Amino acid sequence: MEIGGPRAYDFRMPTLFERIIAGELPATIVYRDERVTAFRDIHPRAPVHILIVPNKPIPTANDIADSDEALIGRLFTVARDLARREGIADDGYRLIINCNSHGGQEVYHLHVHLLGGAPLGAMVAKTS
Ligand code: DGP
């Protein structure tokens, strides 16, 4: 594995999220279809914190192919529907995709964070 480089993950190993999608690891799954799975974040940063994940492993936003456009759109329509179902659509919420080290990405399987249920504060911390 290349540590600290632009790809600080081993793309040959299944990610945690692939194992959740495969049912090999437990998670509180709130939505699943043939293209997308959504489950509650294990370390919630807000009263509602759901991860919306393509079933197909795409490591980072950099790895999205043009042919993935419909799949990426699906992540957002699922997020919209889950926000309604969770009762946070009207007050509002935040959708976040972290990419690589400066983005703070920890799990190298593309995911959209759906956060809401309380005011979320500033969009990003000031760098200095
Ligand atoms: P990111 O930094 O964008 O890669 O966010 C990864 C998120 O994944 C982080 O908020 C914590 C969450 N997470 C990590 N491991 C697990 C796990 O095993 N189960 C669940 N449900 N969430 C996890």
Side-chain angles (χ1 to χ4, degrees):
M1 177 155 102
E2 186 185 1
I3 302 288
R7 284 181 180 266
Y9 59 91
D10 185 343
F11 57 84
R12 295 161 301 186
M13 296 288 290
T15 64
L16 281 174
F17 292 173
E18 275 180 89
R19 298 185 63 204
I20 287 172
I21 292 162
E24 294 168 10
L25 286 179
T28 305
I29 292 179
V30 295
Y31 179 82
R32 189 202 293 276
D33 66 24
E34 68 284 355
R35 287 182 287 170
V36 171
T37 300
F39 48 88
R40 296 199 190 276
D41 195 290
I42 203 167
H43 297 129
R45 306 287 188 96
V48 174
H49 189 171
I50 292 171
L51 303 172
I52 301 131
V53 176
N55 293 343
K56 163 182 130 171
I58 299 172
T60 78
N62 289 332
D63 302 299
I64 297 169
D66 290 352
S67 57
D68 293 325
E69 277 182 359
L71 173 61
I72 301 308
R74 182 78 187 139
L75 299 179
F76 283 85
T77 54
V78 168
R80 173 203 63 195
D81 292 347
L82 287 172
R84 281 196 198 123
R85 198 207 285 174
E86 295 283 323
I88 61 173
D90 289 345
D91 284 336
Y93 51 89
R94 188 170 292 159
L95 300 175
I96 297 175
I97 297 175
N98 296 319
C99 180
N100 276 342
S101 60
H102 282 195
Q105 185 171 4
E106 293 170 6
V107 178
Y108 282 82
H109 185 130
L110 184 74
H111 49 283
V112 177
H113 294 257
L114 167 62
L115 294 145
L120 295 169
M123 188 169 69
V124 287
K126 288 204 171 103
T127 46
S128 63

